[in-house]
């Protein structure tokens, strides 16, 4: 199956500080490419992987599970950690969920997290029926391109595959239990007008995460895919200031 336009993974070998960038459910690197390229232009080593089942056809995603997506995130993290002195993780939506799971598992190996509208709790009530409905119908209407800026398309799937959505729901429960163990510095960007992820996700994160260095910033002009929306530059500037603040100077011999 050929890749959708802009769905290619992105990798840049830069300096001794690495940034792992994680896209969301039914999306692709296209939604994160401007952020990743901005970080690369600032001299950072950057990895933006394509998660399994994404960037082709929604039916491909229905054959994968959260363990497959996480395995890719963890592999890219380990490669960055091998070549860099520090690694930060940026995530959008489900990419934020995977980032939190990575932070819980890797501990101090992750120097900090920047999350944009992360999914921590499944929105609405439709997900309650997923255990049964996923065996009856393969998909629901898509959730892609919730963007306020006219004419912008993230290139995500037009359908939401239900076996994959159920697996993502399972991961939300795991991550909710792990939040107190996530103690890395964390910067949360949240869109009040998000039509995909409910405010419950942000509240759960802020109330239960173990991070002491914790800040929430609102994106008043953007919707869910804020990395391609009106407030994208606020995210890019704020995230890189965050990384610079937490970068440990290299001792000179």
């Amino acid at each position: 199956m050929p890749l959708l336009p802009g769905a290619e993974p992105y990798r840049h070998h830069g300096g001794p500080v690495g940034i792992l960038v994680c896209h969301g459910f039914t999306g692709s690197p296209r939604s994160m490419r401007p952020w990743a390229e901005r970080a690369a232009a600032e001299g950072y080593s950057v990895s933006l992987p394509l998660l399994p089942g994404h960037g082709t056809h929604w039916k491909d995603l229905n054959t994968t599970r959260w363990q497959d997506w996480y395995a890719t995130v963890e592999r890219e993290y380990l490669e960055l950690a091998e070549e860099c002195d520090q690694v930060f993780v940026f995530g959008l939506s489900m990419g934020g969920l995977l980032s939190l799971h990575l932070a819980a598992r890797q501990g101090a190996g992750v120097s900090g997290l920047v999350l944009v509208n992360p999914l921590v709790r499944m929105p609405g009530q439709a997900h309650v029926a997923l255990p049964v409905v996923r065996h009856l119908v393969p998909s629901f209407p898509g959730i892609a391109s919730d963007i306020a800026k006219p004419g912008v398309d993230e290139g995500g799937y037009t359908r939401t595959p239900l076996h994959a959505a159920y697996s993502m729901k399972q991961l939300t429960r795991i991550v909710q239990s792990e939040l107190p163990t996530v103690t890395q510095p964390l910067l949360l960007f949240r869109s009040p007008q998000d039509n995909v992820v409910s405010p419950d996700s942000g509240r759960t994160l802020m109330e239960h995460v173990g991070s002491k260095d914790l800040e929430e910033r609102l994106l008043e002009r953007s919707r869910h895919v804020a990395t391609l929306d009106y407030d994208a530059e606020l995210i890019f500037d704020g995230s890189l200031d965050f990384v610079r603040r937490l970068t440990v100077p290299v001792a000179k011999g």
Side-chain angles (χ1 to χ4, degrees):
M1 183 70 68
L3 289 181
L4 295 170
E8 303 83 6
Y10 175 79
R11 192 74 161 83
H12 175 76
H13 295 280
V17 176
I19 297 176
L20 174 60
V21 185
C22 305
H23 70 76
F25 185 66
T26 74
S28 78
R30 178 170 167 174
S31 63
M32 307 293 271
R33 185 71 177 254
W35 197 4
E37 290 182 339
R38 171 67 182 279
E42 296 285 338
Y44 297 104
S45 293
V46 180
S47 175
L48 168 55
L50 172 64
L51 300 180
H54 292 77
T56 53
H57 191 280
W58 67 264
K59 290 183 179 179
D60 292 334
L61 182 52
N62 233 1
T63 66
T64 67
R65 300 294 180 264
W66 74 260
Q67 293 90 342
D68 303 309
W69 317 326
Y70 179 73
T72 295
V73 167
E74 186 175 58
R75 183 191 69 233
E76 295 298 316
Y77 161 78
L78 291 173
E79 289 186 6
L80 278 175
E82 184 70 22
E83 67 181 70
C84 297
D85 298 328
Q86 287 181 267
V87 178
F88 293 82
V89 186
F90 296 173
L92 167 68
S93 194
M94 184 190 74
L97 182 70
L98 293 167
S99 300
L100 288 164
H101 189 50
L102 179 72
R105 290 175 61 95
Q106 295 295 333
V110 173
S111 292
L113 298 163
V114 181
L115 308 181
V116 178
N117 297 321
L119 175 72
V120 178
R121 286 192 177 278
M122 298 291 283
Q125 292 301 314
H127 68 90
V128 175
L130 277 175
V132 175
V133 174
R134 68 192 178 103
H135 295 294
L136 304 177
V137 294
S139 67
F140 280 167
I143 56 172
S145 295
D146 182 36
I147 301 170
K149 198 172 185 179
V152 181
D153 183 355
E154 70 166 316
Y157 292 153
T158 58
R159 304 294 299 179
T160 300
L162 298 190
H163 285 301
Y166 177 68
S167 185
M168 180 171 64
K169 177 180 177 177
Q170 292 176 311
L171 181 58
T172 63
R173 291 173 173 169
I174 294 169
V175 169
Q176 287 166 30
S177 69
E178 292 175 333
L179 284 178
T181 71
V182 176
T183 58
Q184 295 91 338
L186 193 155
L187 175 58
L188 169 65
F189 287 99
R190 186 173 65 81
S191 302
Q193 304 306 316
D194 191 332
N195 294 308
V196 176
V197 170
S198 75
D200 288 343
S201 279
R203 281 195 290 267
T204 297
L205 177 63
M206 295 295 288
E207 290 173 3
H208 297 287
V209 75
S211 305
K212 302 303 181 189
D213 185 343
L214 176 64
E215 181 182 359
E216 178 185 43
R217 299 183 189 178
L218 298 182
L219 305 172
E220 300 287 359
R221 303 179 64 217
S222 300
R223 294 179 185 164
H224 183 62
V225 190
T227 51
L228 297 179
D229 217 329
Y230 288 116
D231 295 311
E233 291 299 323
L234 294 178
I235 297 170
F236 302 166
D237 291 342
S239 62
L240 295 175
D241 285 344
F242 174 84
V243 170
R244 281 189 285 268
R245 175 171 68 83
L246 294 169
T247 296
V248 177
V250 177
K252 296 181 179 181

